[in-house]
Amino acid sequence: QVQLVESGGGPVQAGGSLRLSCSPSGRAFSTYAMAWFRQAPGKEREFVSAVSRNGENKAYVDSVRGRFTISRNNAEKTMYLQMNGLKPEDTAVYICAIRYTDPFDSGNFYYTSKTDYSYWGRGTQVTVSS
């Protein structure tokens, strides 16, 4: 069973920055496609950003594009979400998700649907004050 540990959340003022990290357990990090989702109180979990297994292809929800940057370091077995220009509407629990991919494909694919992912972290709280 893969376990995911997120870190880096906290309180921040509007316009500030945070960097989230996600480190899955196990040895198969390089076989995972990965993503960040977020869930605000009373709202459904929504897609934020995804990265392909090889780290070359990335996707963002429109509301964060240009402010957030997803990355991964396969040697460090860690995925990051750099969040700049934070807004109060970014306040949510940010949740890391992973899925295994076919090791024989190109590694270029990313996935943006909740149903694409098999393993989820518990999340890290991000609170942006105005």
Side-chain angles (χ1 to χ4, degrees):
Q1 183 75 8
V2 178
Q3 295 184 334
L4 288 76
V5 178
E6 301 102 330
S7 62
V12 64
Q13 290 191 332
S17 298
L18 287 172
R19 189 176 80 156
L20 307 183
S21 300
C22 173
S23 299
S25 63
R27 302 179 180 181
F29 184 88
S30 61
T31 68
Y32 304 145
M34 306 181 72
W36 290 98
F37 289 76
R38 66 186 179 186
Q39 189 163 16
K43 295 188 177 181
E44 291 195 1
R45 188 170 297 186
E46 69 166 346
F47 168 77
V48 176
S49 184
V51 61
S52 61
R53 188 179 79 228
N54 61 14
E56 294 183 3
N57 290 326
K58 304 171 184 180
Y60 299 93
V61 67
D62 286 346
S63 60
V64 309
R65 187 174 292 112
R67 298 188 297 123
F68 291 9
T69 303
I70 193 170
S71 62
R72 62 186 293 165
N73 185 318
N74 285 355
E76 295 180 355
K77 299 183 179 180
T78 303
M79 176 180 68
Y80 301 98
L81 185 68
Q82 178 66 45
M83 306 188 296
N84 299 329
L86 282 160
K87 303 176 181 180
E89 52 263 43
D90 294 320
T91 294
V93 175
Y94 283 71
I95 305 160
C96 171
I98 67 171
R99 61 168 283 155
Y100 288 108
T101 60
D102 183 346
F104 297 103
D105 72 21
S106 66
N108 288 331
F109 303 110
Y110 56 75
Y111 304 87
T112 62
S113 171
K114 288 179 289 188
T115 58
D116 289 326
Y117 291 90
S118 305
Y119 300 97
W120 297 83
R122 293 187 175 185
T124 183
Q125 177 70 47
V126 172
T127 303
V128 185
S129 58
S130 57

